């Protein structure tokens, strides 16, 4: 599986993502600087976590207007898989690739801890290696992870089965509506999530729960 990772000024989880993808796919992802205007041929494009442009204006707002985003939108519209994690999720909502918005955490504090996630839809290219309602561990580290959508939009998201992961067992760290931790676009090829699966892919770092997401993508690409 060929992968690419977009890197912005302020990205700080890109190296974690490089390591996770190389570990699981056996191939080194290609780095794409944000000023590039075209993406390489890839089965999966990742927008990693961090603090692009120092989170000025709104988290992800400036990065969403970077030159490379035009081609990312084109590739996503053509069906290429796109994964945005944490700041990447914020960027994808700012770019209009995902519905809703990420607001300040309900407690107005940065949170960095482990949470539990429930896989509520195991029939997607991002979740086919999970079992329905499987609860798994995953770390979070964010200040603006409070997912929000207007009532009509939220109903459509839920009705369409776009919610893939919810915070489980009372571990919602940010106040996200309906405990939403990760959701896709309507077509199902773009996923945004606040938790960091790339940080839980080997026992040396505390566990392998996050591997299942990447293994799902490998399986879908086979």
């Amino acid at each position: 599986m060929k992968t690419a990772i977009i890197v912005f000024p302020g990205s700080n989880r890109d190296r974690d993502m490089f390591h996770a993808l190389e570990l699981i796919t056996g191939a080194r992802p290609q780095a794409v600087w944000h000023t590039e205007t075209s993406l390489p041929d890839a089965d999966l494009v990742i927008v990693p976590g961090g603090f692009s442009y120092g989170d000025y204006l709104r988290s992800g707002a400036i990065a969403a207007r970077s030159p490379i985003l035009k081609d990312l939108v084109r590739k996503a519209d053509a069906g290429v898989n796109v994964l945005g994690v944490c700041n990447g999720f914020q960027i994808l909502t700012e770019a209009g690739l995902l519905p809703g918005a990420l607001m300040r955490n309900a407690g107005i504090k940065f949170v960095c801890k482990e949470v539990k996630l429930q896989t509520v839809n195991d029939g997607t290219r991002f979740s086919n290696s999970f079992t329905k309602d499987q609860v798994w561990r995953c770390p979070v580290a964010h200040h603006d992870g409070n997912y929000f959508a207007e009532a009509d939009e939220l109903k459509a998201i839920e009705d369409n089965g776009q919610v893939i992961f919810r915070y489980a067992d009372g571990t919602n760290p940010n106040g996200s509506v309906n405990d939403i931790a990760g959701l896709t676009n309507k077509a199902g090829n773009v996923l945004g999530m606040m938790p960091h699966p790339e940080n839980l892919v080997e026992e040396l770092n505390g566990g392998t729960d996050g591997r299942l997401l990447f293994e799902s993508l490998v399986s879908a690409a086979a």
Side-chain angles (χ1 to χ4, degrees), residues 86-202:
C86 199
N87 186 227
F89 188 6
Q90 296 161 347
I91 292 169
L92 294 180
T93 59
E94 288 286 344
L97 283 171
L98 289 173
L102 281 307
M103 308 186 302
R104 288 285 170 89
N105 295 343
I108 318 296
K109 292 181 180 180
F110 182 87
V111 293
C112 182
K113 62 181 182 179
E114 186 177 283
V115 298
K116 290 182 179 179
L117 302 180
Q118 179 185 17
T119 303
V120 295
N121 184 347
D122 64 342
T124 78
R125 63 192 74 185
F126 298 97
S127 60
N128 61 76
S129 292
F130 294 91
T131 57
K132 182 77 166 63
D133 294 326
Q134 180 176 346
V135 175
W136 54 290
R137 301 159 47 227
C138 199
V140 297
H142 58 255
H143 191 266
D144 301 310
N146 185 354
Y147 182 77
F148 175 80
E150 296 288 352
D152 289 348
E153 187 174 47
L154 183 62
K155 184 178 186 304
I157 291 166
E158 295 282 7
D159 289 348
N160 292 334
Q162 291 171 238
V163 178
I164 310 302
F165 305 117
R166 298 190 202 273
Y167 298 109
D169 297 340
T171 63
N172 185 335
N174 49 44
S176 289
V177 64
N178 290 10
D179 293 325
I180 293 173
L183 78 161
T184 67
N185 61 342
K186 193 170 182 179
N189 65 302
V190 179
L191 171 68
M193 59 186 299
M194 288 309 297
H196 288 272
E198 75 277 15
N199 289 147
L200 207 65
V201 296
E202 53 188 337

Side-chain angles (χ1 to χ4, degrees), residues 10-30:
S11 295
N12 69 1
R13 296 300 182 96
D14 47 318
R15 292 187 180 184
D16 298 0
M17 194 64 78
F18 275 108
H19 175 72
L21 286 171
E22 188 169 12
L23 179 70
I24 295 166
T25 69
R28 182 74 173 170
Q30 184 166 339

Side-chain angles (χ1 to χ4, degrees), residues 6 20 58 66 86 129 146 166 210 212 217:
I6 301 175
R58 294 181 308 275
S66 294
C86 199
S129 292
N146 185 354
R166 298 190 202 273
L212 291 175
L217 287 160

Side-chain angles (χ1 to χ4, degrees), residues 29-49:
Q30 184 166 339
V32 182
W33 188 236
H34 69 114
T35 57
E36 298 291 330
T37 56
S38 63
L39 288 159
D41 180 33
D43 302 298
L44 170 66
V45 180
I46 292 184
V47 189

